[in-house]
Amino acid sequence: GSLVAAVLAHSGRLDKEDLGTRIGRLSRRGEVCNMINKKYNEFLPSMQSAEDLVSKVDGLSSNIDLLKAGIENEVQQDLNVAVAEFTELKQQLERDTLVLSILKKLQEFDTAIKDYNTALLEKKYVTAAQQLEKARNSLKMLESRKGFELKILKALGTELTVQTQNMLYHLGEEWQKLAVWKLPPSKESSSLESVMHSELHLRTVPSKEEEIAGLPVASVLQAFAVLGELHTKLKIFGQLLLKYILKPLISYPSLQPFPEEQSDIFVLRFKSEEPNLDHSSPMEVFYKIQLVFEVLHKYLLNVPLVQPAEDKKECRVTLAELLGDMIWEELSDCLIQNCLVNSIPTNSSKLEQYIEVIKSTEEFEKALKNMHFLKGDTTDLLEYARNVNSHFANKKCQDVIVAARNLMTSEIHNTVKITPDSCGVLPRLPGPATGDHLKMEKTSKLLHNDMVNLENETKLSQYTFSLPTCRISSSVEKLMELAYQTLLEATASTDQCCIQLFYSVRNIFQLFYDVVPTYHKENLQKLPQLAAIHHNNCMYIAHHLLTLGHQFRYRLTNILCDGAATFVDLVPGFRRLGMECFLAQMRVQKGEILERLSSARNFSNMDDEENYCAANKAIRQVLHQLKRLGKVWQDVLPVNVYCKAMGTLLNTALSEIITRIAALEDISAEDADRLYSLCRTMVEEGPQVFIPLPEEDKNKKYQEEVPVYVQKWMTFKELMIILQANLQEIVDQWADGKGPLAAEFSAAEVKSLIRALFQNTERRAAALAKIK
């Protein structure tokens, strides 16, 4: 305390208050020092015991180091030697185990081959085959040992192959004894005569050797199955069966199976009978095929076999099942295509009779299933037969389209004449069936009876909506008959068939639209008569299409009765098709007329004999062309169409002549006389080209009506008057723009003609002044 006070006093910072505080702190520090001394006294023994322990650990560590050095120098070396010996012994054991397994497999292979040889000598083919398979498995196991290849394995493989082929040879010999084929030469296998020489011999009684060995048919087949060769043998047998027995029985109606059982073999051969029809009925074919399978089942196919499956479990099947799996698909296709297809009715009235075919097909499949030739779920033939309505519709539609196309590609020029009175060969439609339509008719009759008759007493002619007299192709008439007959067939068919037949008829007309203009394109362009006939054909078809759907509206299925059964939408296309073809021919004829008139040297300088002859020749050629066309189109086109067509062509010639003469700048008196002579030829002979009817006396009416069909006829006659008239007569004909001349020519055209015909005089000037 005094020391502290002295220090503080020396520092010059001591005061009363600080001194007390610091004294308190020092007292507390003394207490801490006392506590530390106490803890030190307690810790000192523990420290001494720890130091003893450390000294002991140091001793142990020294001992461990000595022990470790001893192990590394002495024990480790012995341990390494022991491990090496153990590893070597282990590898030796593995080698010995592998060699032992290899020797065991070699022993199994050797034993299997010995047992095989013994069984083969005793004709125990199944046992021999099994031993061969056992030897093959042993060899596979040996070959699978990688890194342990033996040269002996190649020799063993060769031996196994030799023995397998030896086994197959013996089995093949036995199989050839079971089923013997006698076939015609391969080049002649397709004809009926060659098929008649095909025979199949099946052994029914075993030989003495087989009786001693107890060799059943099953053992040979089972041995084939074990070796995996049964499928190959059966496939060859099945193909021969199809080619030389089953397919000929289906294809040739006259061919009949002729089974014959002899002492130790069964012979299946053929005999030929006169066929009643071109195609055998399904019942007859099924009977013949079933007879063949019954024979095969009795003498060959009724053999149970054990077949190895993929999961290594064996399954029992019969030879018939295996053969059926191989050939049924091809056989059923042949039966369908060459038998059932031909039996599909072509008329809906015969559909009810088809129930016999369905029943026969069902019995046929049932019989094959009883013989295990077919599986329980196989119904290919029966499904096809039961779907007869669809097949009938498809066949009918196909036949209709084929018949229609044949008609479309036949000659157009073979024609028939139709008149408003002719009803043709179209079928007579039955009265409407009872139902809504009948009720509608009764209702309309009641309303009609209760109402006042307000209609005009004047009646329309019965021919108002008839097609005019003309000639059409006989093929088109038959085509329309085909359409009516098909629709009539549809009315008696099922709904689905009805719809298919209806749209087949629509397809007929769409096919006509596409085929005929293309197929007959060249003739339609070159031959005016064919163009006219094609025009009539199209108009004839369009005429029937207007009412065709309505006639059958209430006789078709309900689906089509709601407005779908119509052909009206096809009418504009057919009318356009006929008109375009005929107008194209008209353009060709107009072109020829203008080309001929172009050689008339513009009808100028007619006083020149050469020019006059050229113009006269051109006129004659045009008249000859028109007369030839008149003959070609005579009695072909309807009269009104004929007159319009001939009038148009004659009008083309007259217009061209008028234009060329009106364009002349100078016409002498002699020129005018000769031009008048040429024009008179056209006026006199032009009407003679109007000969629409073969009866000459009936054509006068149409020849007198030429001005009706030839627009420029009166203009042409006025031109002739001008060529022969004087100025006053021309002025009189003009009549201040109200005369007949003014109705045909303009003032400028008349003035031009006056200037060309008359010299420039006061009289001409006065006349020209009046033309205005």
Side-chain angles (χ1 to χ4, degrees), residues 43-242:
F43 171 73
L44 190 58
S46 299
M47 181 179 175
Q48 289 175 350
S49 62
E51 288 176 349
D52 294 340
L53 186 60
V54 168
S55 63
K56 290 179 180 180
V57 169
D58 289 339
L60 287 173
S61 177
S62 299
N63 292 334
I64 288 172
D65 290 339
L66 292 173
L67 183 61
K68 181 179 180 183
I71 290 173
E72 290 178 350
N73 294 331
E74 298 176 7
V75 177
Q76 184 69 40
Q77 186 176 357
D78 295 340
L79 185 61
N80 290 338
V81 172
V83 169
E85 289 179 355
F86 175 77
T87 302
E88 184 178 354
L89 289 172
K90 183 181 178 182
Q91 292 175 351
Q92 184 65 38
L93 178 62
E94 289 176 351
R95 285 195 299 270
D96 291 345
T97 303
L98 182 58
V99 169
L100 184 62
S101 65
I102 295 298
L103 292 174
K104 186 177 179 180
K105 291 298 177 184
L106 288 173
Q107 183 186 15
E108 288 178 1
F109 182 90
D110 183 66
T111 303
I113 292 296
K114 288 179 180 179
D115 293 343
Y116 153 76
N117 287 320
T118 302
L120 186 61
L121 290 174
E122 296 175 357
K123 290 192 175 182
K124 296 179 180 179
Y125 292 123
V126 177
T127 304
Q130 290 171 344
Q131 293 302 321
L132 273 182
E133 285 303 300
K134 187 176 180 180
R136 181 173 287 105
N137 292 332
S138 299
L139 185 59
K140 286 181 180 178
M141 185 65 71
L142 290 170
E143 291 173 345
S144 66
R145 301 284 186 180
K146 299 298 180 183
F148 199 85
E149 291 79 7
L150 295 176
K151 294 182 179 179
I152 194 175
L153 295 184
K154 186 175 182 181
L156 294 180
T158 304
E159 177 65 16
L160 182 61
T161 302
V162 170
Q163 296 302 331
T164 302
Q165 294 303 317
N166 183 37
M167 176 80 177
L168 290 175
Y169 172 76
H170 284 84
L171 290 176
E173 291 290 319
E174 297 294 342
W175 174 252
Q176 288 182 359
K177 295 176 183 176
L178 293 175
V180 181
W181 288 95
K182 292 188 177 181
L183 304 176
S186 58
K187 295 181 180 179
E188 303 176 359
S189 59
S190 59
S191 64
L192 177 61
E193 292 75 12
S194 63
V195 172
M196 290 291 296
H197 296 93
S198 302
E199 293 182 7
L200 173 60
H201 294 204
L202 300 176
R203 189 170 57 186
T204 58
V205 179
S207 64
K208 293 181 179 180
E209 293 181 0
E210 291 174 345
E211 289 179 354
I212 295 172
L215 178 65
V217 176
S219 66
V220 176
L221 300 174
Q222 184 64 61
F224 273 127
V226 173
L227 295 176
E229 293 293 326
L230 181 60
H231 185 275
T232 303
K233 292 294 181 184
L234 268 188
K235 186 175 182 180
I236 296 173
F237 179 82
Q239 292 303 315
L240 291 173
L241 187 66
L242 280 171

Side-chain angles (χ1 to χ4, degrees), residues 110 112 174 214 239 257 290 293 347 368 434 463 485 564 577 593 662 735:
D110 183 66
E174 297 294 342
Q239 292 303 315
Q290 185 175 336
F293 278 115
N347 195 304
L368 294 186
T434 57
Y463 303 129
Q485 292 288 359
L577 184 66
I593 288 172

Side-chain angles (χ1 to χ4, degrees), residues 196 230 241 251 307 343 353 362 396 399 422 556 577 602 750:
M196 290 291 296
L230 181 60
L241 187 66
S251 303
Q307 284 284 95
S343 68
Q353 302 174 7
E362 189 173 4
K396 185 69 179 179
D399 292 345
S422 62
L556 299 173
L577 184 66
N602 293 327
V750 175

Side-chain angles (χ1 to χ4, degrees), residues 183 206 318 338 399 529 558:
L183 304 176
T318 63
N338 297 294
D399 292 345
Q529 185 185 41
N558 293 332

